[in-house]
Amino acid sequence: MHSLQRASVATVAAALAIAGATGAGAARGYDAPIATRSYGGNWPVTVSGSHGFTGCLELTGSGSASITIGSQKFTNGSYFIANNLLVATISVEGYGQNAGMVFIGRANRDKIGNGAYDEVYGGAPFVIGALAFGMKNDC
């Protein structure tokens, strides 16, 4: 397994473990309503790797998430913040399988640091990459 893939899978696994530890309410962004409100806005994102892309991740104060990549907008998502870690998941067409995009980054004082991206089809990693967040409301 490639070292970036190992790191991404490990990061996703750690984020999911944190998510499970914070309870079901956290998955809807309700673990810290003040924290989710402070991260509301548009965040430029860049995924590096062979399937890299740039897009605009929109987070709301109520815990919903969407992303625009080129002319496509994916709107069925949510995010939460736990232990200074932002985890946003957005459903995508899986062609008969459950599928989604997972964005993970360090959340600290209204800033989101670099992290990992994982696109999942049928529960397995499909596209992974390093994730960079730009400045809030810069897209």
Side-chain angles (χ1 to χ4, degrees), residues 33-101:
I34 293 170
T36 56
R37 270 188 245 121
S38 67
Y39 288 92
N42 297 311
W43 297 86
V45 293
T46 302
V47 175
S48 62
S50 63
H51 292 84
F53 64 85
T54 59
C56 185
L57 182 66
E58 182 179 351
L59 306 175
T60 69
S62 63
S64 65
S66 63
I67 188 161
T68 303
I69 302 169
S71 62
Q72 289 189 300
K73 186 167 186 170
F74 303 93
T75 59
N76 191 20
S78 63
Y79 78 100
F80 66 94
I81 297 166
N83 296 332
N84 294 331
L85 189 68
L86 172 127
V87 178
T89 58
I90 300 174
S91 297
V92 295
E93 175 62 48
Y95 308 103
Q97 301 181 62
N98 291 326
M101 294 183 251

Side-chain angles (χ1 to χ4, degrees), residues 3 14 28 31 42 64 90 108 113 131 136:
S3 62
R28 296 194 178 152
D31 65 325
N42 297 311
S64 65
I90 300 174
N108 188 10
L131 176 62
K136 182 177 178 180

Side-chain angles (χ1 to χ4, degrees), residues 3-18:
S3 62
L4 176 60
Q5 187 176 11
R6 273 194 304 273
S8 177
V9 170
T11 302
V12 170
L16 294 175
I18 290 168

Side-chain angles (χ1 to χ4, degrees), residues 119-130:
E119 192 168 325
V120 179
Y121 284 86
F126 182 70
V127 175
I128 61 168

